[in-house]
Structures are given as structure tokens and as C-alpha cells.
Amino acid sequence: MRGLSRSFGLAGLVVLLVAVLVQTPASAGELGGGWRAAWMTAMQPPNANPNWSQQGFSAQSLRQVIRLTAGGPALRIRITNQYGDRTVRLTGATVAKAAQGPAVEPGSVRAIRFRGAEAVDVPAGGEVASDPVALQDLSGGSRLAVTLYFAGATGPATFHEFGAAATSYRAPGDERADLGGTAYQETSNSWYFLAGVDTVAVGGGTVVAFGDSITNGFSIPLGQRYPDLLAARLAAAGRPQPVLNAGLGGNRLLQDSTCYGERGLIRFQRDVLSQPGARTALVLMGINDIGYPELPAMPCTTPNPPVTSEQLIEAYRGLITNAHSRGIRVVGATMPPFGGAQVYTEHSAHLWSDVNAWIRTSGEFDGVVDFATVLADPADPSRLDPQYDLGDHLHPNAAGCRAMADAVDLAAL
């Protein structure tokens, strides 16, 4: 492909030095060293919702726009085939600074290689990391376009179903070098195969916000979700460090879902403990566990047994124990109020109150942030304050995300 030959000069020297310093790994089991995760997303199995996950890709280019929460002199991407049913061959990839829509900034396109090769095979259930790529002026808030080209059929794609307002783009053929984005006429509200982007560690360790659709940012644009705003607060305070969004819409601590991914107790290992440079987990989970049993049976929420506060507390304890065994701090977040939501009943409200009381008072977390109090309606603490309510009485709006980010004690991170 013309225009994407390996560059030399200063950029090539940076890549060479970074490769020596971090001894770039190629598999998920080796991730670490001098890298820290600067962006990631929680992946899930393909599902039948309107997206490209079940059909996958064949003779197509996939351009995905992401937003870093920390910069560095070089980056690498991580490609996952966690839920694939066959080996996926990635024919080639590029990274560039994103412009508007699927367009990229001229002069910023860089070829991505894997152990020096343009193509790489990603085994079913596996993950691979690229070689270092030098891209100037990367900082928190930088928007990148990562383009993946698949010459052959991938089969079903491991993916992340957006709750946040974001767009990915697809084009026929090899369009890695397309600058204006005119070839990318198809869009999807999901990310596919791209599990993470790491940068060379500069500054503090990585914070991972672990949760469901509230963390993922249901209907909130990229950059305005509470983890994004928390990263901006840290940078403004003179201590820049990544804040990853490991939210997954509909996710539960205790039960898997065909639509909403593996339960939190399982994916915590991959989405928090295995993230390069992770030092703190900020955990906001449980609202779906206590709410779904109040709904009629649906394919996306089956199995759906009743839960007790004791079960949820034991689940939290499991997360804390596993994190501490890896030297990672855990900050517990109380579940926001949800009075008036479809899942609100006397029973779910009782569980919400019990579990939140334990989060606040148990002393088992390394820190606590009380989102329930911060977001509550002063006239009725069981409900979201109207100024923070997206409209469904369950999800915070952009102002609510700002209030959440402002409520976190930076010293706890």
C-alpha cells in the first residue's frame, strides 16, 4: 500500500528507543513493562442486536475513532479475538489523528506492525499487541482513528456495544490510507476487535472505572462521560494519569447475559487486573443485579434469579481481594438513586439501600465515593435530582457525569 512505508528520522528513532526500553510483548499474557493503558473498552460476545458483530468483516476496512485519556511518546494497539470461533487474520492496520467523521489529519497516518510484520493472526480466545508507533503530540484528549483491514472473512467479531454516543466506519476494500474518509459510507455504534491503546508510561498509574451503562456513558458523547471528566480533573490538578472506561451497558456482577456480556466477577480479571499500569479500580456495579429481577423475563436478562444484598456484598469482597492480590487499590462507589425507573420497586429499593450502606461503612474499600448522595434529589433521595436525570430516572445526563467526576477524591486515586 503506497504512502505507508516505514518512516525513519526522528519518528523512527523514537520507535527504536521505545522498543528497546519496553521490550514490546506480542501477547496479552506478557502485557506490562513500560506501557500503561491509555484507552480500553470492555469487550463482549457477538449478539443479534443491530451491529456488525455476528457477520464480522471480509475484504473490508474498519475505521474506529477513540479518545485517549493520557499521552506519551509512542503507542501500541491491542487486538482481541476473545469471543471468536476461529483465528482472525488482520491483514494490516494504521493509526492516525482523527479529524471530522471518518477523516484523518494529513501527514499523521502511520502503519502499524506486529513483530515487524504488517499482518498478524489472532487466535480464537487470544489477544495481540502491536509494535510501538511514534505519533507526535499525543496527550489526554487526543482523538485517534485506528483502521483495521481484513482481506479474508473474520467470522463473528468480539466487540463493545456503545452506550456512549460514538461512531465507527466501514468501507469495502483496503482503505487504510484514505484521508478524507469518503470511502467510509457505512456506520455502526460499536467498537470491534480493538481492546486497548497503550502509551509509554509518563506520570501516574492507570485508574480503571469499572461498571455498567452508567460508567459506559449511556447516550453521553465521548469526552463527557464521567471517567473522561475525571481524567481531565487529574490533568488540571497537575497529576495526569489515564482513567479507563471499563463500563459495559446492561452488565451485572453475578450473571452473564447473551446481550450484556460476561458477569463482572469474571471480566474484572481482563478489564481491570490485566490492564497495563493499572493501580486503582473505581467500582460502580450492582444496579442491574437488583433491578432485572423486577422485570418480566427477557432473552437479554436470562438467567435472572433474585439476588440478596449478601450475595452482592460477597461479590464486592471478591473484587477487592483479587485487586489487592495484584497491588491494585479499590474505590467503592455507591449506586445512584433510581426511584421512578422501570426497575424500581420496594424490594429493589431495599437492596439498594442495604448495599450502599455497606459500601459507605464497611471500611473494606480503600476509598469510597458517594454517588448516591451527590446525585440525589434533595426533596426525595430515592430519585435522581432532575438536573442530573437523563430522563429515564436511571442514567445521569452530562451534568450528572460532571457531578460524579467532581465528587471523586483525587487523593483516593
Side-chain angles (χ1 to χ4, degrees):
M1 183 175 50
R2 292 180 297 176
L4 292 178
S5 60
R6 189 178 298 187
S7 60
F8 293 92
L10 179 58
L13 180 60
V14 169
V15 169
L16 178 61
L17 290 174
V18 169
V20 171
L21 287 172
V22 302
Q23 298 179 339
T24 307
S27 68
E30 298 171 306
L31 297 178
W35 295 102
R36 65 175 183 182
W39 176 89
M40 60 84 64
T41 194
M43 306 304 277
Q44 60 196 99
N47 66 39
N49 292 335
N51 58 63
W52 299 330
S53 65
Q54 287 194 327
Q55 68 189 85
F57 305 89
S58 180
Q60 292 169 319
S61 296
L62 171 65
R63 180 162 289 177
Q64 304 179 87
V65 178
I66 62 98
R67 183 180 183 277
L68 297 180
T69 60
L75 62 82
R76 69 179 182 185
I77 69 170
R78 287 181 277 126
I79 302 297
T80 182
N81 191 20
Q82 176 72 35
Y83 302 108
D85 62 5
R86 69 197 75 178
T87 294
V88 168
R89 184 166 184 81
L90 174 60
T91 312
T94 60
V95 62
K97 293 182 179 179
Q100 294 298 314
V104 299
E105 293 185 11
S108 71
V109 181
R110 301 287 185 272
I112 296 174
R113 296 182 180 273
F114 299 83
R115 294 197 181 277
E118 189 173 75
V120 66
D121 290 329
V122 190
E127 181 174 307
V128 298
S130 76
D131 298 343
V133 179
L135 198 58
Q136 293 182 346
D137 302 322
L138 290 180
S139 62
S142 293
R143 295 173 62 253
L144 300 180
V146 179
T147 305
L148 310 178
Y149 170 54
F150 303 97
T154 65
T158 298
F159 85 123
H160 174 90
E161 194 158 27
F162 283 144
T167 306
S168 294
Y169 306 90
R170 185 171 67 179
D174 184 358
E175 296 292 347
R176 284 174 285 171
D178 180 3
L179 299 180
T182 55
Y184 292 90
Q185 297 297 310
E186 296 180 272
T187 61
S188 171
N189 290 326
S190 296
W191 282 307
Y192 305 85
F193 294 117
L194 183 63
V197 177
D198 306 329
T199 58
V200 175
V202 178
T206 295
V207 178
V208 186
F210 183 72
D212 48 40
S213 58
I214 295 175
T215 298
N216 193 36
F218 181 71
S219 295
I220 304 297
L222 299 184
Q224 298 181 38
R225 302 173 297 170
Y226 102 79
D228 303 323
L229 299 174
L230 180 56
R233 273 193 69 206
L234 285 162
R239 43 176 298 191
Q241 57 193 107
V243 181
L244 307 182
N245 192 318
L248 189 58
N251 198 231
R252 290 175 286 180
L253 272 172
L254 299 172
Q255 298 292 335
D256 298 338
S257 166
T258 56
C259 302
Y260 307 134
E262 286 184 291
R263 60 194 180 274
L265 282 174
I266 297 297
R267 71 179 186 90
F268 190 75
Q269 170 68 41
R270 178 180 66 249
D271 293 341
V272 177
L273 305 186
S274 296
Q275 294 302 315
R279 295 293 178 266
T280 303
L282 206 168
V283 176
L284 172 58
M285 284 283 281
I287 199 77
N288 294 320
D289 292 85
I290 67 178
Y292 284 174
E294 309 304 313
L295 299 174
M298 297 180 291
C300 286
T301 60
T302 302
N304 194 18
V307 301
T308 65
S309 55
E310 290 78 16
Q311 288 175 308
L312 286 171
I313 288 168
E314 284 306 307
Y316 276 115
R317 285 178 170 145
L319 300 184
I320 294 168
T321 297
N322 289 336
H324 285 175
S325 72
R326 300 284 289 271
I328 296 174
R329 294 167 50 81
V330 184
V331 176
T334 56
M335 294 176 283
F338 61 110
Q342 187 180 10
V343 294
Y344 185 84
T345 66
E346 183 178 348
H347 179 65
S348 61
H350 178 72
L351 293 176
W352 168 76
S353 179
D354 279 357
V355 175
N356 276 354
W358 177 82
I359 292 171
R360 291 187 185 102
T361 64
S362 68
E364 297 191 35
F365 290 98
D366 300 294
V368 172
V369 55
D370 196 352
F371 289 151
T373 298
V374 168
L375 297 174
D377 184 345
D380 183 356
S382 71
R383 304 176 71 97
L384 287 171
D385 189 318
Q387 68 175 320
Y388 298 144
D389 191 343
L390 186 65
D392 61 2
H393 311 303
L394 178 65
H395 294 95
N397 59 17
C401 290
R402 169 66 66 184
M404 293 171 71
D406 289 345
V408 178
D409 179 4
L410 301 187
L413 306 181

